Amino acid sequence: MTLQAEHHAEKVIEVDRLMKSYGSFQAVNGVSFTVRKGEIFGLLGPNGAGKTTTMEMIEGLRKPDSGSAVVAGYDTRTQLNEVKSVIGVQLQSTSLFELLKVKEIMRMYASFFKHTLPIEPLLERMILTEKSNSRIKNLSGGQKQRLAIALALLNDPQVIFLDEPTTGLDPQARRTLWDIVLGLKEQGRTIVLSTHYMDEAHVLCDRICLMDQGQVIALDTPAALVRSLQSESAIEFRLADENGFALTAAIEDADKQQLSAWLSGVSGVKQVDFRKDTIVLYTDNLQEALIGFIRESSERKLSFSDLQTRTSSLEDVFIHMTGRSLREA
């Protein structure tokens, strides 16, 4: 898609300055964004960032204190029934009737709508055909999540909301769900996905809305967000004493400033970050920075351990903007 075509792509969701507070706690604080037709739009942030509350206000499940959300041309404040007819929702925690069989709960949910997709092909698409006569209590975590998505698709929605769909799943079950989500995009569905997994957001999402403390702190494609660091690669290491024990976490602030000034002067290094017991050097020239760091460390008799190199990530973007990692937030 060209930039011009992308700019004029049809907007399926328009969110404008949504606000929601609980007592003195501001859960969502002026969130605004648009979602384009046919894209996977990610809400990425730590637990408590306001992702779920934002999604629930867009879905019409929670009333905002102020602001508005329009889905497929329908205002969630005044046209809630119309909104419900064009969306499918997989909640972060879905409580299903454990003693019902898979096909029974599909038929029950289908009875709630005037028009539904055929159940058997839907179960096949969710890799649940062999489980159609199994009771829900006997399904694995991944199978229950796929069933929740199947239920969200029953009414053939234009927009699908997936709230933390892979939380608690093993790596294989996560990958299976990723394939299913990408398959839904290929069918032309618009998907809003919340997650706190960086790799998930990077693989699945066309654009990412990075959230923290109820606010949008960045919104762009995964590649553009990483490029905003202006550094393609990272070198991670821990300082160590003569016995190889890590020292980074115990460094005094004054020493950190001195160490940061020296590391910033290493050839090829563009930025230095201190994290708990790890130091990260960002660079656009990995070979130059790595050779320079090792050479000057030797000259200064600086010991280090656990040296590794990697490409810059969405985690680095979040740390750069907030000063802490997604896992710590």
Side-chain angles (χ1 to χ4, degrees), residues 136-206:
I136 292 168
K137 68 175 184 178
N138 296 324
L139 300 182
S140 69
Q143 290 164 348
K144 287 181 179 179
Q145 288 291 63
R146 298 202 300 273
L147 176 57
I149 296 175
L151 294 170
L153 290 170
L154 263 173
N155 64 324
D156 195 17
Q158 293 183 41
V159 184
I160 305 163
F161 292 89
L162 304 177
D163 193 359
E164 304 273 5
T166 65
T167 297
L169 301 185
D170 61 62
Q172 183 177 351
R174 288 183 70 210
R175 292 284 178 174
T176 300
L177 259 179
W178 289 4
D179 290 340
I180 287 172
V181 172
L182 291 171
L184 293 173
K185 173 183 165 62
E186 288 177 2
Q187 297 170 10
R189 311 272 185 182
T190 302
I191 301 165
V192 179
L193 168 82
S194 77
T195 182
H196 59 271
Y197 295 126
M198 298 163 294
D199 56 342
E200 184 162 280
H202 212 140
V203 169
L204 296 179
C205 298
D206 297 296

Side-chain angles (χ1 to χ4, degrees), residues 103-120:
K103 65 180 180 182
E104 290 174 339
I105 199 163
M106 291 289 288
R107 289 170 184 163
M108 185 182 76
Y109 271 61
S111 70
F112 301 154
F113 303 103
K114 293 180 180 178
H115 165 72
T116 61
L117 295 174
I119 290 175
E120 287 74 16

Side-chain angles (χ1 to χ4, degrees), residues 17-142:
R17 293 170 291 180
L18 281 180
M19 305 276 287
K20 186 65 181 180
S21 61
Y22 302 98
S24 60
F25 175 64
Q26 192 75 51
V28 175
N29 188 8
V31 166
S32 299
F33 56 77
T34 61
V35 179
R36 301 164 185 153
K37 184 176 181 180
E39 75 172 336
I40 301 178
F41 184 87
L43 297 175
L44 174 64
N47 293 327
K51 306 185 301 294
T52 294
T53 302
T54 297
M55 289 182 74
E56 289 177 347
M57 288 189 285
I58 300 170
E59 296 157 358
L61 297 177
R62 196 174 297 275
K63 185 177 180 181
D65 295 334
S66 62
S68 64
V70 177
V71 182
Y74 301 119
D75 192 313
T76 57
R77 297 168 301 182
T78 59
Q79 299 171 292
L80 188 52
N81 288 335
E82 289 84 352
V83 170
K84 289 179 179 179
S85 71
V86 297
I87 68 172
V89 178
Q90 171 262 318
L91 299 172
Q92 189 173 120
S93 92
T94 304
S95 297
L96 301 173
F97 298 98
E98 294 281 294
L99 295 178
L100 285 181
K101 295 178 180 179
V102 168
K103 65 180 180 182
E104 290 174 339
I105 199 163
M106 291 289 288
R107 289 170 184 163
M108 185 182 76
Y109 271 61
S111 70
F112 301 154
F113 303 103
K114 293 180 180 178
H115 165 72
T116 61
L117 295 174
I119 290 175
E120 287 74 16
L122 200 49
L123 289 177
E124 183 178 0
R125 193 185 311 161
M126 295 298 122
I127 322 174
L128 288 171
T129 300
E130 294 182 0
K131 296 293 181 179
S132 62
N133 285 307
S134 298
R135 297 193 189 279
I136 292 168
K137 68 175 184 178
N138 296 324
L139 300 182
S140 69

Side-chain angles (χ1 to χ4, degrees), residues 269-306:
V269 172
K270 299 186 71 174
Q271 183 181 332
V272 180
D273 273 352
F274 286 83
R275 306 179 190 172
K276 286 193 174 179
D277 61 348
T278 304
I279 299 174
V280 184
L281 311 179
Y282 292 104
T283 178
D284 278 339
N285 190 327
L286 181 59
Q287 184 175 357
E288 178 186 355
L290 189 58
I291 292 172
F293 168 68
I294 293 174
R295 181 182 63 247
E296 296 199 28
S297 295
S298 177
E299 291 175 358
R300 292 172 180 259
K301 295 182 170 52
L302 185 74
S303 298
F304 57 85
S305 64
D306 303 321

